[in-house]
Amino acid sequence: MPTLRIAVLPGDGIGPEVCAEAVRVLQALNLDLELYTADVGGRAIHAHGTALPEPALRMAQEADAVLFGAVGTPEFDKNPSASVRPEQAILGLRKALDLFANLRPVRTFEALLDASPLKPDIVRGVDLIILRELTAGAYFGKPQGQFGEPPERYAVDTTHYTEAEVRRLLIMAFELARARKKKVTQADKANVMATGRLWRAVAHELREEYPDVSYEDMYADACAMHLLRNPRSFDIIATENLFGDILSDEASMLAGSMGMLPSASLGDALNRHGYRRGLYEPIHGAAHDIAGQGVANPLAMILSAAMMLRWSFGLHAHAERIERAVERALNDGYRCRDIATPGARVVGTREMAEAVIARL
Ligand code: IPM
Ligand code: MG
């Protein structure tokens, strides 16, 4: 088996703790790994004055895949107008690697039904993917900024989409649906936004090419509501960058916790293995309130590593081994604090990873 060349960018807060455990799970699979690592985010700002130093970016560009922890620090959260910010690391990587499609699978584990604040009957059997556009929209549109002086300050964000950006994301949505439950829901605000109307128009053209896939338009606000009312009705939710960010945090509560949700960010470029180059990260943040205590849930990061094996290396059987081991650890009662219900066996980051490794 050829060498898997992976850039590990742990970042801030709990990022390094959960990354280390995901790497241990990969090592337990006896894969031929070549790991590189670099500072990104807040810690890179302190050491190098920028969130995404050139060597880290180059490392990510030269790797077959990137494992990314989390970025963000309290000092910058308190100062949102700082021009150098930890988040620039992840936004810069997404853009530089052209990772336009962000897959955020949400599936509920039977053992965790009680961990969700929603009723078990609502969340049982949920299996959907939020497919979020990741390199355009309000996150990158120009102009952006705050202008003027008090009391006449004003601020501008620009939601900008080209037809090509919309189409490539929607093609991914239809292709994914074809291999799953054959349904695409496109969430937009076509009733208010011009970009929403463009998304809808492009989707309507494309659906003709996928007669085997059922398609529906949905306003993003209604989608937020249906996600709680009837989450089983979804298969692929395709949506723009900002709505995808919001809907995926909401959807994480179906699975019980942000600590359970992995993600894959993919582009069209292929790596040396002939699969998509990708960046794999949990959807949760740096969680400084619990960093360094060894209590963070590593499962989102571990499941992200499984997605990496599947999407960037074609190692489906290995990916499934990880996913089944996670399920078994949960079935055997292991819980990190974020998913613990009264009476549960609460374990720390390391112990949870060990429970997974023991069940590979
Ligand atoms: C996410 C995060 C990021 C985003 C932040 C850290 C910039 O919330 O990946 O969902 O908004 O995309
Ligand atoms: Mg987010």
Side-chain angles (χ1 to χ4, degrees), residues 62 65 69 120 123-124 133 179 181 186 234 258 304:
E62 284 167 9
V123 296
R124 178 172 290 116
E133 199 290 326
K181 296 188 279 176
Q186 196 268 131
F234 293 104
M258 301 253 286
S304 299

Side-chain angles (χ1 to χ4, degrees), residues 166-185:
V166 174
R167 184 173 294 110
R168 64 182 183 173
L169 192 279
L170 288 172
I171 286 173
M172 179 89 87
F174 280 106
E175 296 288 342
L176 280 174
R178 204 166 239 181
R180 291 172 38 100
K181 296 188 279 176
K182 299 192 167 41
K183 181 174 176 190
V184 172
T185 304

Side-chain angles (χ1 to χ4, degrees), residues 104 132 139 245-246 248-249 283:
R104 299 190 159 185
R132 169 188 177 193
Y139 275 64
D245 181 44
I246 297 168
S248 58
D249 271 26
I283 80 152

